[in-house]
Amino acid sequence: MSFFDNLRRAAEKSLAYSNCSFCGLEQTEIGICTPCLSAVEPMGRSCRTCASPIEASQTAQSEPDAGSSCGQCLQKPPAFQKVIAATRYKFPVDKALSELKFNKQLHFARSLSHVLERRVRLSYQDTSYPEALVAIPLHPKRLSERGFNQSEIITKHLANTLSIPHNNALTRIKDTPHQIGLSEKQRRKNLNNAFYLQKPLPSHIALIDDVVTTGSTVSEAAKLCLQNGVKQVDVWCLAKT
Ligand SMILES: [Zn+2]
Ligand SMILES: [Zn+2]
């Protein structure tokens, strides 16, 4: 039996018994057991702005610095302030997130939201939380196909556990084709005017998505918010590539 089958069986079991989402063995309150959490949680050295991995060779010249940004962010700072990711988008989290999205394995949203919540609490120790949590919306067509928006589920979970209002002002008015395999320029073009803001937002918000890859989606949404009175946009996601 493949790991994938094990993962799915574990997933099905965990729905009923509240076992760990990933191994299916340990009983746990947050949906992920301590060993799986320790396996999934490490991010490695990351850019303090976009949360992309920073290779050791990139900084070999300079002193190791936990708080440095990657070359790309230094050259062209993104619209958002920072990305906070629960974990890296790699095995087994990549599988878990596709199970969540395409096989309605919603328990992964719960367990990984707990991992994100831990990261968020650490990141905001010295600063105040955003005033509102805003999910990256799906186009209504996609929403009716899938039946749920995984980012919305994550947002509701975090709004609840962190006591931050959940705001649904942001909507998607353009059905963007799959972004996989497209150049950064093509991604931006596809996303142009993809979002619409239905009502004003507070000055500090967090945009929430399941996976952030190049950051073009969250950048486009962040720009719209910043053009409409928002002063700071943070990005929270379950996984960053
Ligand atoms: Zn486990
Ligand atoms: Zn960066």
Side-chain angles (χ1 to χ4, degrees), residues 94-199:
D94 54 352
K95 286 277 183 287
L97 289 175
S98 83
E99 282 290 284
L100 159 65
K101 234 189 253 190
F102 303 111
N103 281 325
K104 292 197 167 66
Q105 297 293 317
L106 301 184
H107 59 96
F108 282 120
R110 175 171 165 259
S111 53
L112 289 170
S113 290
H114 275 289
V115 184
L116 178 56
E117 183 200 330
R118 286 161 59 90
R119 188 85 65 189
V120 164
R121 285 187 193 277
L122 283 173
S123 300
Y124 289 85
Q125 271 174 340
D126 306 316
T127 49
S128 48
Y129 282 139
E131 296 154 273
L133 304 185
V134 181
I136 292 292
L138 282 181
H139 187 270
K141 197 178 134 216
R142 293 266 189 111
L143 184 61
S144 67
E145 279 167 9
R146 193 175 298 164
F148 64 94
N149 175 3
Q150 66 284 358
S151 304
E152 193 82 33
I153 294 171
I154 301 158
T155 303
K156 280 182 181 157
H157 177 90
L158 291 162
N160 220 344
T161 51
L162 295 167
S163 302
I164 303 173
H166 168 211
N167 188 304
N168 58 3
L170 189 65
T171 55
R172 197 144 185 159
I173 51 172
K174 193 165 144 192
D175 189 18
T176 42
H178 274 294
Q179 301 283 84
I180 298 159
L182 298 181
S183 71
E184 181 60 34
K185 200 177 162 192
Q186 191 60 44
R187 281 176 190 242
R188 280 205 306 270
K189 200 179 153 216
N190 279 343
L191 285 160
N192 201 16
N193 299 319
F195 298 105
Y196 175 73
L197 213 46
Q198 288 178 309
K199 54 188 177 194

Side-chain angles (χ1 to χ4, degrees), residues 47-52 54 68-74 78:
C47 168
R48 63 180 297 182
T49 309
C50 72
S52 293
I54 296 185
S68 52
S69 292
C70 72
Q72 209 171 343
C73 288
L74 288 174

Side-chain angles (χ1 to χ4, degrees), residues 19-26 28 31-37:
N19 284 12
C20 171
S21 254
F22 286 85
C23 66
L25 299 172
E26 305 269 336
T28 157
I32 183 166
C33 72
T34 311
C36 287
L37 183 63

